[in-house]
Amino acid sequence: ETVLRLAHASAPKSLINQAVQRFAAEVSEMTKGSVKVQIFPNAQLGDEGPIADGVGAGSIDIGLGGAVDAIDPRLNVLSLPFLFRDADNVHKFLDSAEGQKVQQFGQDRGYLMLGALDSGFRQFATNKPIAVPGDLAGVKIRTPPNPVILATMKQLGALAESIPFGQVYTALQSRVVAAVEPEMRDYYDSRWFEVAKNLSVSNYIWTANWWYMNKGKFAKLRPEEQAAVKKSAADTVAWYRGELSKTYAETQKKLEEKGVKVSTVNTTPFVALVAPVYTTFSREWGADLVTSVKQAASAN
Amino acid sequence: MTVAILIGSFSLMLLIGVPIAWCMGVASILAIYFGHLGLPLEWFAQETLRGADAISLAAIPLFLFAGELMNRGGLTVRIMRLAEHVFGRITGGLALVNVATALVYGGISGSATADTGAVGSIMIPEMAKRGYPKAFAAAVTAASGTLGIIGPQSVVLILYGVLTNTSIGGLLVAAILPGTFIAATFMITSYIVARRHGFPRNDAPVNWREIGRDALGALPALLMPALVLGSIIGGIATATEASALAVVYSFLVGIFVYRELPLRSLYSAAAAAAATTGVIMMIMALATPFAWILTVQQVPTDAAAWITGLHTSPLMTIVMVLLLLKVVGFWLDLGPALIILAPILVPIALDAGMTPYQTGIAFTMTLGIGLFTPPIGTNIFVVCNVAKIDMWSVSVWLVPYWIASVVCVAALVAFPWLNDGLPRLFGV
Amino acid sequence: MNQASLQTSPGGRGWIKLVFEFVGVMAFVIMFASTLLGVIARYFEFGGVEWSFEVASIAFIWITFVGVVNAEMRRENVAFEAINHASPPRIKAFFDAVAAAALLTMGMAFLFSGWAVWQRSWMVPTSVLRLPTGIITATVLVLGVSAVCMALSRLAGILATLRTHGGKAGAA
Ligand code: NA
Ligand code: NA
């Protein structure tokens, strides 16, 4: 019997955890119990960065998360601003030849990509709604320390602030920062809606919960076990995509019940401003990659 | 087996005097070597680094340094002169000042460890100078430092709100009354201890002119917590950044107002702050691989599942839940303990009839007691290092505070209005 | 307290102490300055210092690893010493030898494990400044080397004491 440790940073009740529980059940069923997946949710074994490190080294077998520098910084290419319109657009891209190519990254560092579960689109959450780029000018916005997000905020004229996750709530409360830019489910779970009551839906950046496995560990499985892992992961990705829009509708309803004003942003004037971000990262990841991803993303 | 090696070897090394940090590290190494966990070589360094990567604790060296600046720049001595007039007439008055200071800092930093460092570096030397046993001074500081996690910036309460989907605004308001209650209980405890041991008291006749002069002289120093707290409320700084402002303020007052701060001593003060931080953070860092093994071996989860299966009376369930938190609090830091146990234990506590705010505060307080309970009590490590004394001598003086804390937690469970009164009043 | 076990040449030890103390103070100053810079930049609303947070985080890790070496050199690492101090000299020497062995184990673990991390990922970029993470991993290696040296010097010291005193009481 092989036991695979799977770690992620989402809550036990989250859609991510439900997905990996289904995955674990299917793997166990397909291998008749010869492969067991043991799940560690809630960053019990560390945050997304340490999970990626752990899978690379082999202390964790399977991981999920958006921290990609250890795997391959080029995976950030899918998080370029306004690259995708909506979830359907993303999923079609991921299934395309170009999307499959991106999901081969990380092999030379010992990672095997099992798929990508949407971490989702990031939105603006502020005390007054964001409608035009001018509304962001000079606004102090807390962002995670991600180079693409930092570059995007600079282009949009906002002031990006780094504040540790645990202190963001009080920072919003005392107006140390005026805005955050979370994904909707994280906005609800972290309860930032209590202190930043406007959610401006812009889909400005899409991020993945990359789903990866230690390559050596995968190689040690028997061929039929390997097939079971891959098949179960593919089935789980499909299931997750099916549940996604329902989850977002529910989350939005819960937020509105709590008094959050949800508005939709016309993104056209924003898109015009972020072109330099593409130029910057073309230099870092290769212009070929950025161009071909951009083309494939707008092709569907 | 793995867990037995882990905890057994830790305890043996601890008893013969191996530094705590190395006890945890070597125990983890032995556990993975003999426990056949099949971990890669990188694991140990990776996990230690993960534990050390905790910038929200940067307030520890900054507050330690600010405390040293206050001591060397004449701020502490002026505050103490005034405190002598006001509280010195009560037996054990400085112990009460210690608790009150911790309550103020608790409002600032939100980290019990940073608070303990701040208060300890100021109060322990002063109390020792005025005839209190050093170990007692250290013990009061370790216990009252816990107030930091029930204060309005509490990182622990915010984490609890996120983990259990409880209103954070409500939790922070709910914590005001229990925080004050605990502070009062610690003050009463200190008073009783002081009376029993006959600690010093200021018996000089009251001289109002002298009091007025000393109050005026202490004013710039007393403004320091007010300004730092103001910088947080006013939206200028986060809790961590505020500790940097505390450094700036005490530096300016020491140089320009009191003109007593010898610039040459800044270097050694910074070196001392770095060394103390190293000791505390290395324990935190090495607790991470240690906790990793416990987590992967499912120790906390199994224990929680066991309680769920007991089906006893509500009161018994609550007692069991709190006891489990306590036992886990021996070995894990607050954050990891909450992350692993809250999702399992909170529903049990709610089923047993506790209210959400009550559960949050009782859980936080129960884990908080772990901060000043050996073997792994971060607050104890801070005061031992600041006061340069042994863990054993502090622990002896901590006994009354353990009893006081248990009384507090019992009161929090017995009287829900202590927690729910204020939130209801404010409608949060 | 345990003078006999620190028997490196005073000149050499003093020099090393000063270097570690200096690195600790530098890390502290860098962390303090970049934290302050972050506050100032936000207050006066200028951008371009998004890296200050990362610099503070890295400096904080250096404070921890260098600080603990300083504390260990000064014998100020927190321990539970009641039983050790109450023990007769021979047993105390044995306990001290175990403690030194524990330090040696830690040093080796940090060295080997840290080196493995270094080899696999020293060039992985940090999130904002895109510096090699080697500048963080190096802290583990520094602590590893220091711990091994301190442990060996202490073990030598304990042996020398036992030999000089021929096992008679009165050591340390
Ligand atoms: Na803490
Ligand atoms: Na403890």
PDB file of all heavy atoms in Angstrom, chain B residues 1 83 104 374:
ATOM      1  N   MET B   1       4.980   5.031  17.930  1.00  0.00           N
ATOM      2  CA  MET B   1       6.425   4.816  18.066  1.00  0.00           C
ATOM      3  C   MET B   1       7.182   6.103  17.733  1.00  0.00           C
ATOM      4  O   MET B   1       7.962   6.613  18.540  1.00  0.00           O
ATOM      5  CB  MET B   1       6.845   3.687  17.113  1.00  0.00           C
ATOM      6  CG  MET B   1       8.331   3.370  17.163  1.00  0.00           C
ATOM      7  SD  MET B   1       8.868   2.890  18.827  1.00  0.00           S
ATOM      8  CE  MET B   1      10.614   2.727  18.582  1.00  0.00           C
ATOM      9  N   ALA B  83       5.270  55.758  38.910  1.00  0.00           N
ATOM     10  CA  ALA B  83       4.547  54.547  39.315  1.00  0.00           C
ATOM     11  C   ALA B  83       4.768  54.271  40.802  1.00  0.00           C
ATOM     12  O   ALA B  83       3.870  53.808  41.498  1.00  0.00           O
ATOM     13  CB  ALA B  83       5.000  53.362  38.481  1.00  0.00           C
ATOM     14  N   VAL B 104      -1.753  47.575  28.077  1.00  0.00           N
ATOM     15  CA  VAL B 104      -1.566  48.639  27.075  1.00  0.00           C
ATOM     16  C   VAL B 104      -0.864  48.082  25.835  1.00  0.00           C
ATOM     17  O   VAL B 104      -1.310  48.277  24.706  1.00  0.00           O
ATOM     18  CB  VAL B 104      -0.748  49.811  27.668  1.00  0.00           C
ATOM     19  CG1 VAL B 104      -0.408  50.818  26.582  1.00  0.00           C
ATOM     20  CG2 VAL B 104      -1.532  50.465  28.790  1.00  0.00           C
ATOM     21  N   PRO B 374       5.450  25.479  30.890  1.00  0.00           N
ATOM     22  CA  PRO B 374       6.517  24.659  30.329  1.00  0.00           C
ATOM     23  C   PRO B 374       5.948  23.353  29.779  1.00  0.00           C
ATOM     24  O   PRO B 374       4.837  23.005  30.176  1.00  0.00           O
ATOM     25  CB  PRO B 374       7.431  24.378  31.516  1.00  0.00           C
ATOM     26  CG  PRO B 374       6.852  25.097  32.691  1.00  0.00           C
ATOM     27  CD  PRO B 374       5.492  25.546  32.346  1.00  0.00           C
TER      28      PRO B 374
END
